[in-house]
């Protein structure tokens, strides 16, 4: 033990020596020599050292999505994508990293927030910072002059979370753009229509879309006497929200208003949930001949929307279902695993969403409890007596009704009867697969 | 011109100076100063310089997905996710990069393939190499002891302490359901067990140190002949020929549950505890697979030795069988389209107390499946629709933009997928052509006369049949024709 303590002390001193040399900017060879000594000492300490220091976490500014969060995310994306499709948009996808030179010089001061990949001897790469530059690259590469597309994907920014609370470094962007030379303002109007459709469908509260025009801003500042050099700073004072660094002709911001519960109050904006505008100069940056493709688009602030929806669900105290299972196949007595496996397999083959517990002889009570916790609406109970009678007991978990069910005279009729009964029960209990459900006993 | 050439020369020399200083490990301030001079010179050259050298491409080994490819991808993902959901799986998501230390030591030789992020002063990060290690980290972090989950539309895992082989059987059932639904041809699922491999190699006389490398040779049996594999093992990897022969007796065998029973009786193999465990589990697995109705798709194959370091029990791999029906077609490569296995030790590597959470899972080779489906569509010369638009709102004469905007908005509000051309006065022919190219089935044509009569002309793009529909009945008529429910979803 004393030996180890002595060794640890040596490692500490050597570490300080190395740091000191680096600070004094000693010669490289000297530093290398001393670092070598340090590593040898550390090696003597042994590998345990590293295990003790191992921290189980996601990288700073990133997070996992739990099944509950994924259920919310899926619902939100579903609404958004349905709207984009309704308007005839195509969808594309691009790689999560780009050549470093593709992204260089496109983001101004924000360029320092780009994640670079380590130079491992090949191409220099960076993680994408937004979806707009990749889109412009895609258009230029494929020599496209018009497209209506949406793109939902994660982007990466080395923001300092301390400065901007709740800001993630890995987050979803949801972009919709119409590129091409068209008669004025029709695509622009459709973008605003889409924004409104989405925010209405999401049912997250009343909203307002603020619209302006870069040319109006320019003109206004000019006649008020603002010099060109002060333009950007004045802009950000006027509009405290983030500025994007590419050229804009118009800005559109959708702001979420507070719920009408506060009657008589002036609705306060609680933050931007979508933004967009027209940007005509971007694609020209990539085209070797500098050809311009006019673009107008919008970006939905999905991360904000996720939080809002999650907060609402929490307030409602309703449980969110994380699976879509319709029926649990259960057994009432022991030694019925074979029957359960056969039945659940038939249900899967018929397209029914079903589960079974991975136990040879589970207790009926546990199986019912499993259904209640997961929100599974139906349980098909196999019992010895019922087997003899050719019958399966189908029970509705929410209402606790019990109904004896179908004759299984012949195997080939089984699916038909079963399918019939599943349909019958959906008719009888149409709300048995809601997105949320009241926690029983709550 | 001469001025420019001189400037370029200066830039070149200054660049060399900077590189030299870096190599000599000169002081940081000096380097910074000289780099500053270099950048000033480059700036004087002007922006053209960089533009000439710029190459427009995606990084090596990556690609964009065009709308057509996305349409294929969406269909494939839809089939896969529907199957995962049918089996009651939850879904999670993890970041695209992990702490470097999370991934270290998990991939053996493949570790050199990991993309690291540049050290920019913060945590050391690497891009995830697969979805399994992040999943294990997620379980350990959240102290979960059981979960059935899928990740993206690729990976499916069941974690937890359960009665043996039931979850393993469900994984194989899922694999079969997916591959059948995708309709990419007949397939076979090869099954083996890491413990059987271990035991088999042990009784044949393979030393522990040679285990992995012999595994990778044996795994090639699906592509090359036994002679070639034997030559590699003996000639390149220094295995004694008798040992190779003994291995050969085993690994060339494949079959159903009868092979399992036969090996359980094998005098040498049955003496090996590990092999016995593996064989016992496989026997049970086959029982369950029979109840699931998929035993005819499963082959116990002793040459299956694939996989990363972390498999501990049953392993499986699905391959497509070449169909004789596609005569004339380039034979598709016989390759793996899905794989998986049991990995009981991985979560324990992350848990601070080393607590184990047994896991079994599968991974679908979606990229391969995309190519196969794309190839098939090309062979069929079928056009893939890249949008779902049901009706184009068109105008027959000029000055009807207002009417078109009003109508298309009504359709959108009713949940109908509709488009219009972004032109004030488009020609009717162009609008019809647009429909044909995009595969839009219906056109709602606004015309001056029809407006007066209060009707819209609804035309089927393929049949060219037209019918006048009252404006107030249009939504219902379109929904009826496109098979949509009358309520808004």
């Amino acid at each position: 033990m004393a030996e180890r303590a002595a060794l640890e002390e040596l490692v500490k001193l050597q570490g300080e020596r190395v740091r000191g040399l680096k600070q004094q900017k000693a010669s490289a060879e000297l530093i290398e020599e001393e670092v070598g000594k340090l590593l040898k000492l550390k090696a003597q300490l042994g590998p345990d050292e590293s295990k003790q220091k191992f921290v189980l976490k996601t990288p700073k500014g990133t997070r996992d999505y739990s099944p509950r969060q994924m259920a919310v995310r899926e619902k939100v994306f579903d609404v958004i994508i349905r709207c984009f499709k309704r308007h005839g948009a195509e969808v594309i996808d691009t790689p999560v990293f780009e050549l470093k030179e593709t992204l260089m010089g496109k983001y101004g001061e924000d360029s320092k927030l780009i994640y670079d990949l380590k130079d491992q001897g090949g191409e220099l790469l960076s993680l994408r910072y937004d979806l707009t530059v990749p889109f412009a690259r895609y258009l230029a590469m494929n020599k496209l002059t018009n497209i209506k597309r949406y793109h939902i994907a994660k982007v990466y920014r080395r923001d300092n979370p301390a400065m901007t609370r709740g800001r993630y470094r890995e987050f979803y962007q949801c972009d919709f753009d119409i590129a091409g030379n068209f008669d004025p303002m029709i695509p622009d109007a459709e973008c605003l229509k889409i924004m409104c459709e989405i925010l209405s469908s999401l049912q997250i509260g009343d909203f307002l879309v603020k619209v302006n025009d870069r040319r109006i801003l320019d003109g206004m500042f000019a006649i008020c006497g603002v010099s060109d050099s002060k333009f950007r700073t004045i802009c950000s004072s006027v509009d405290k929200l983030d500025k994007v660094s590419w050229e804009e002709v118009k800005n559109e911001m959708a702001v979420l208003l507070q719920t009408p519960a506060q009657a008589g109050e002036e609705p306060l904006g609680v933050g931007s949930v979508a933004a967009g505008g027209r940007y005509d100069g971007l694609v020209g940056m990539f085209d070797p001949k500098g050809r311009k493709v006019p673009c107008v688009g919008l970006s939905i602030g999905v991360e904000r929307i996720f939080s809002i929806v999650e907060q609402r669900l929490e307030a409602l105290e309703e449980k969110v279902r994380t699976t879509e299972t319709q029926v649990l196949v259960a057994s009432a007595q022991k030694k019925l695993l074979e029957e359960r496996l056969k039945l659940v397999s038939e249900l899967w083959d018929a397209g029914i969403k079903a589960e079974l517990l991975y136990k040879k002889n589970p207790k009926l009570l546990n199986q019912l409890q499993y259904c209640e916790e997961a929100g599974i609406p139906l349980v098909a109970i196999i019992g010895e007596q019922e087997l003899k009678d050719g019958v399966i007991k189908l029970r509705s978990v929410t209402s606790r009704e019990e109904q004896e069910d179908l004759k299984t005279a012949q195997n080939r009729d089984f699916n038909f009867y079963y399918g019939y009964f599943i349909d019958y029960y959906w008719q009888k209990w149409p709300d048995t697969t809601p997105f949320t459900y009241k926690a029983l006993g709550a």
Side-chain angles (χ1 to χ4, degrees), chain A:
Chain A
M1 242 11 221
E3 221 181 86
R4 190 174 176 79
L7 199 53
E8 282 174 346
E9 185 63 18
L10 278 173
V11 166
K12 185 171 152 231
L13 289 169
Q14 186 64 12
E16 279 164 27
R17 179 161 167 72
V18 166
R19 272 189 289 280
L21 286 171
K22 282 182 176 174
Q23 267 173 351
Q24 298 161 32
K25 301 195 205 245
S27 81
E29 296 94 28
L30 181 58
I31 292 177
E32 219 177 276
E33 199 184 316
E34 297 299 325
V35 166
K37 287 185 193 166
L38 176 63
L39 291 174
K40 280 210 187 91
L41 285 169
K42 278 188 164 178
Q44 282 184 50
L45 262 179
D48 304 351
E49 190 72 305
S50 46
K51 226 184 192 158
Q52 282 165 359
K53 292 196 188 120
F54 182 67
V55 179
L56 212 54
K57 64 191 272 294
T58 53
K60 185 175 173 188
T62 69
R63 55 160 167 162
D64 295 321
Y65 283 80
S66 70
R68 196 177 180 283
Q69 292 166 319
M70 287 300 287
V72 169
R73 190 171 108 178
E74 244 180 64
K75 280 266 175 285
V76 171
F77 281 163
D78 190 53
V79 166
I80 295 174
I81 291 173
R82 227 193 287 234
C83 183
F84 291 154
K85 287 187 170 181
R86 198 182 311 128
H87 287 256
E90 299 181 301
V91 60
I92 67 168
D93 198 11
T94 63
V96 79
F97 47 68
E98 297 273 345
L99 294 179
K100 192 176 156 80
E101 53 195 51
T102 300
L103 304 185
M104 270 201 315
K106 308 293 186 304
Y107 302 106
E109 272 192 21
D110 290 341
S111 295
K112 61 181 186 293
L113 300 180
I114 296 176
Y115 276 99
D116 289 326
L117 266 67
K118 185 168 155 185
D119 185 351
Q120 286 167 294
E123 299 165 324
L124 289 181
L125 308 167
S126 302
L127 295 183
R128 65 186 169 210
Y129 185 83
D130 66 5
L131 299 178
T132 306
V133 170
F135 176 48
R137 179 202 39 78
Y138 177 86
L139 290 181
M141 244 173 93
N142 294 283
K143 297 188 183 8
L144 294 170
T145 51
N146 66 69
I147 187 174
K148 179 158 59 175
R149 78 96 180 84
Y150 70 91
H151 189 182
I152 301 178
K154 290 184 190 168
V155 299
Y156 302 88
R157 303 186 183 178
R158 285 179 63 239
D159 255 334
N160 191 344
M163 275 162 40
T164 48
R165 277 182 308 125
R167 214 29 117 71
Y168 288 107
R169 291 181 163 186
E170 175 192 61
F171 60 95
Y172 266 101
Q173 271 202 335
C174 176
D175 278 15
F176 171 92
D177 292 273
I178 300 171
N181 250 308
F182 302 116
D183 286 350
M185 303 321 282
I186 310 178
D188 309 52
E190 185 167 11
C191 282
L192 284 158
K193 174 72 175 166
I194 286 171
M195 215 187 253
C196 292
E197 280 181 23
I198 288 174
L199 294 177
S200 302
S201 306
L202 286 172
Q203 294 182 311
I204 43 177
D206 284 335
F207 62 91
L208 180 73
V209 181
K210 298 195 264 186
V211 172
N212 200 349
D213 191 306
R214 182 65 170 249
R215 294 164 294 184
I216 296 174
L217 275 171
D218 277 357
M220 179 178 76
F221 287 161
I223 58 154
C224 292
V226 179
S227 64
D228 280 351
S229 58
K230 285 200 160 53
F231 182 76
R232 212 166 266 266
T233 37
I234 302 298
C235 260
S236 31
S237 309
V238 162
D239 181 342
K240 294 194 178 88
L241 297 166
D242 281 352
K243 269 277 178 262
V244 291
S245 50
W246 28 262
E247 289 276 296
E248 285 183 84
V249 177
K250 262 180 292 296
N251 306 325
E252 302 151 5
M253 297 276 184
V255 170
L256 206 59
L257 303 173
Q258 283 190 324
T259 48
Q262 287 115 6
E265 270 181 44
E266 214 22 69
L268 303 163
V270 290
S272 161
V273 283
R278 175 165 281 287
Y279 53 108
D280 289 345
L282 187 60
V283 181
M285 247 188 233
F286 287 115
D287 188 276
K289 294 188 183 161
R291 267 181 298 233
K292 285 192 172 191
V293 177
C295 289
V296 64
L298 62 100
S299 193
I300 306 285
V302 283
E303 296 287 342
R304 277 223 70 217
I305 291 171
F306 295 157
S307 330
I308 293 170
V309 175
E310 275 179 33
Q311 274 176 36
R312 268 173 196 235
L313 287 172
E314 235 155 287
L316 288 171
E317 284 177 0
E318 279 201 16
K319 277 187 90 166
V320 173
R321 279 207 68 178
T322 55
T323 65
E324 298 181 12
T325 306
Q326 297 159 317
V327 56
L328 183 84
V329 174
S331 42
Q333 295 93 21
K334 292 189 173 186
K335 297 194 195 281
L336 290 169
L337 175 64
E338 242 188 67
E339 303 302 322
R340 272 193 294 141
L341 290 174
K342 260 197 287 192
L343 180 55
V344 80
S345 184
E346 279 179 49
L347 298 185
W348 289 331
D349 289 344
I352 293 170
K353 298 173 199 165
E355 286 187 67
L356 85 164
L357 260 57
Y358 297 126
K359 278 193 93 57
K360 276 190 296 218
N361 300 308
K363 291 189 168 56
L364 184 58
L365 198 62
N366 291 344
Q367 294 170 91
L368 296 174
Q369 218 167 334
Y370 180 85
C371 290
E372 288 177 26
E373 280 162 14
I376 300 172
L378 288 175
V379 57
I381 308 171
I382 299 171
E384 280 163 359
Q385 187 52 50
E386 288 84 358
L387 268 180
K388 292 193 188 110
D389 299 338
V391 153
I392 304 281
K393 217 195 276 288
L394 192 61
R395 179 191 296 195
S396 161
V397 177
T398 44
S399 73
R400 308 246 179 150
E401 271 180 41
E402 219 173 289
Q403 282 221 8
E404 291 229 335
D405 209 310
L406 24 109
K407 305 290 178 189
T408 54
Q410 288 160 54
N411 252 2
R412 67 182 155 86
D413 289 334
F414 192 80
N415 279 342
F416 170 76
Y417 280 121
Y418 207 88
Y420 168 76
F421 265 95
I422 291 287
D423 286 340
Y424 170 77
Y425 278 95
W426 291 145
Q427 277 175 42
K428 192 161 186 224
W429 296 294
D431 292 328
T432 41
T433 46
F435 174 54
T436 63
Y437 60 102
K438 287 268 180 283
L440 296 168

